[in-house]
Amino acid sequence: MVKILFTVFTIGFVGIRAYYHQPDDDTQIEIRGTREKWLAGQFTVILLMVHGWWLGDTESTPLPLDFSFLSPSLLGACMMGASLPLLLWVHHSLGTYFSARLVVQNQHEIIQHGPYQWVRHPMYSVGFLYLIGAGLLSQSWVVGILPTCSFALLVGLRVHDEESMLCSVSEEYRTYMRRTGRFLPRFKTQDTV
């Protein structure tokens, strides 16, 4: 049951990404192309290898899905399951502005609706939710740590470039940065008089 759920969530996640994938456009300007391709490539290879290894490993039987309150496998299933509608929401909000690469489009618009009204990089947040959930559901340190660390390297090196790129496109992005959180919503504190 665990491997079936894991497979369904993985197919769902990849399917959403594939559905919204935009073909390369000659009018887009790519930022840090070589480094970006290497970072995305290493993450993709690690993710596919680790998930494929775990799903194909017939010698180890995964623990049965534990539905007790806050068990790791139930928490992981909930996290992976929750990542799918959130990913769909993020992609739908971006529309034609989604790109797996760092690109600036002609007449680039700063998206500030959907999850982007609170968070500047909700796609990365959803990615971490999915990956940590995969580790918890599989109850495998390899599945939990290797892809998550690889994704953290990708995001850590990419996010500064992405924000610099968007600031160069629009002064509006700097204002947007001040009122939103990077990966989680920013909570305002009440000023006392």
Side-chain angles (χ1 to χ4, degrees):
M1 180 66 166
V2 170
K3 287 194 177 187
I4 292 170
L5 273 176
F6 191 96
T7 302
V8 167
F9 292 144
T10 299
I11 290 170
F13 200 91
V14 171
I16 292 168
R17 296 279 295 173
Y19 179 81
Y20 282 96
H21 176 73
Q22 298 287 326
D24 290 344
D25 184 347
D26 292 339
T27 64
Q28 297 172 332
I29 300 168
E30 186 169 12
I31 308 298
R32 297 215 186 243
T34 303
R35 186 181 81 179
E36 281 298 306
K37 288 175 186 163
W38 183 88
L39 288 169
Q42 63 87 27
F43 169 67
T44 303
V45 167
I46 288 172
L47 181 72
L48 292 175
M49 286 178 60
V50 167
H51 284 198
W53 161 79
W54 184 77
L55 286 169
D57 185 9
T58 57
E59 291 182 21
S60 69
T61 305
L63 299 171
L65 190 59
D66 180 3
F67 285 107
S68 62
F69 184 68
L70 289 182
S71 70
S73 59
L74 179 60
L75 183 59
C78 290
M79 290 171 74
M80 286 183 83
S83 72
L84 299 182
L86 291 173
L87 183 67
L88 191 60
W89 189 28
V90 169
H91 276 289
H92 182 73
S93 298
L94 278 175
T96 59
Y97 287 97
F98 168 67
S99 174
R101 302 171 299 122
L102 284 185
V103 295
V104 176
Q105 299 182 14
N106 284 341
Q107 300 175 355
H108 200 92
E109 178 186 336
I110 305 302
I111 303 300
Q112 298 181 50
H113 59 274
Y116 290 89
Q117 62 190 307
W118 302 290
V119 181
R120 295 191 301 276
H121 304 285
M123 190 162 316
Y124 300 146
S125 304
V126 170
F128 281 114
L129 181 70
Y130 170 83
L131 292 169
I132 294 167
L136 291 170
L137 177 60
S138 67
Q139 295 186 23
S140 165
W141 287 103
V142 175
V143 173
I145 291 178
L146 286 180
T148 304
C149 287
S150 175
F151 188 63
L153 176 65
L154 169 68
V155 170
L157 292 174
R158 177 184 242 207
V159 74
H160 176 73
D161 292 339
E162 188 171 347
E163 290 186 342
S164 295
M165 173 188 77
L166 292 169
C167 282
S168 72
V169 169
S170 170
E171 185 61 38
E172 177 185 17
Y173 193 76
R174 292 184 193 284
T175 304
Y176 172 68
M177 287 175 68
R178 285 191 288 275
R179 68 174 178 75
T180 56
R182 184 175 266 174
F183 301 113
L184 296 171
R186 177 177 288 167
F187 298 102
K188 294 182 181 182
T189 57
Q190 294 286 334
D191 292 333
T192 56
V193 180

